[in-house]
Amino acid sequence: CFCGLTISKRDVTDFESVKQIYDDIKKSMPPIGGVANGAMVLRDSSFATALFEDFQAVLRPKIQGTINLDPLFSETSNEPLDWFIGFSSLAAMIGNPGQGAYSAGNGFIKDLVNRRRSKGLAGSVIHISRVAGIGYIERELTKDLQHRLKTRSGTLVMSDVDLHQLFAEAI
């Protein structure tokens, strides 16, 4: 039984950083069974007023991060994964004013996962909504903004148990 935890702060948007942690894991731990990209940057603004730098900052963890992970665990890899999961958002499915870049990044993840699956590789996407009591929205938004978000989107709040179930089903 492998009973250890290693925490390493890395940048998923930097391939060399991702490759280094991949190499470190391969040297010191059991085979990698799965990968999940849950990286996220939010900088909401309308498309007309968005700064290019903000647009890129939002896209990079979703797009470049997933691009960086994919080749390490693709058909050329010696160890196929049991699961490869991209975290997305209901905003990518139903839209959310001010989150064009975020929705585009999530759409990219869905497309890359579909390409993986067409090649017989592991791949799933989970589209999550606001998680009650935990997560970015709970931590960063005021109760008033959370209420407006819920009213505007019409989506239901999910529990951490719901999120765990989605993750388990994706695996």
Side-chain angles (χ1 to χ4, degrees), residues 8-18 60-61 65 68:
S8 179
K9 185 176 180 181
R10 300 296 173 120
D11 181 358
V12 74
T13 67
D14 175 9
F15 181 76
E16 290 307 315
S17 180
V18 173
R60 286 185 57 75
N68 289 344

Side-chain angles (χ1 to χ4, degrees), residues 36-110:
N37 183 12
M40 173 184 79
V41 170
L42 289 179
R43 294 189 186 161
D44 293 4
S45 65
S46 72
F47 188 75
T49 62
L51 298 174
F52 181 70
E53 294 78 19
D54 289 341
F55 201 79
Q56 282 190 312
V58 171
L59 289 175
R60 286 185 57 75
K62 297 289 186 183
I63 294 177
Q64 193 60 50
T66 309
I67 287 171
N68 289 344
L69 291 167
D70 182 49
L72 297 174
F73 305 101
S74 67
E75 63 272 5
T76 59
S77 172
N78 292 332
E79 299 176 44
L81 294 177
D82 293 330
W83 48 273
F84 183 101
I85 299 172
F87 278 68
S88 181
S89 168
L90 285 180
M93 305 299 294
I94 62 173
N96 188 3
Q99 289 192 332
Y102 183 62
S103 293
N106 286 318
F108 177 85
I109 289 174
K110 184 176 179 187

Side-chain angles (χ1 to χ4, degrees), residues 2 7-8 15 22-23 35 47-48 53 64 76-78 90 92 114 121 123-124 138 142 145 148-149 151 163-164 171:
F2 178 77
I7 298 173
S8 179
F15 181 76
Y22 173 81
D23 291 341
V35 172
F47 188 75
E53 294 78 19
Q64 193 60 50
T76 59
S77 172
N78 292 332
L90 285 180
N114 285 341
L121 299 171
S124 299
E138 290 286 330
T142 66
L145 286 173
R148 282 193 281 166
L149 178 64
T151 303
L163 179 57
H164 296 159
I171 288 173

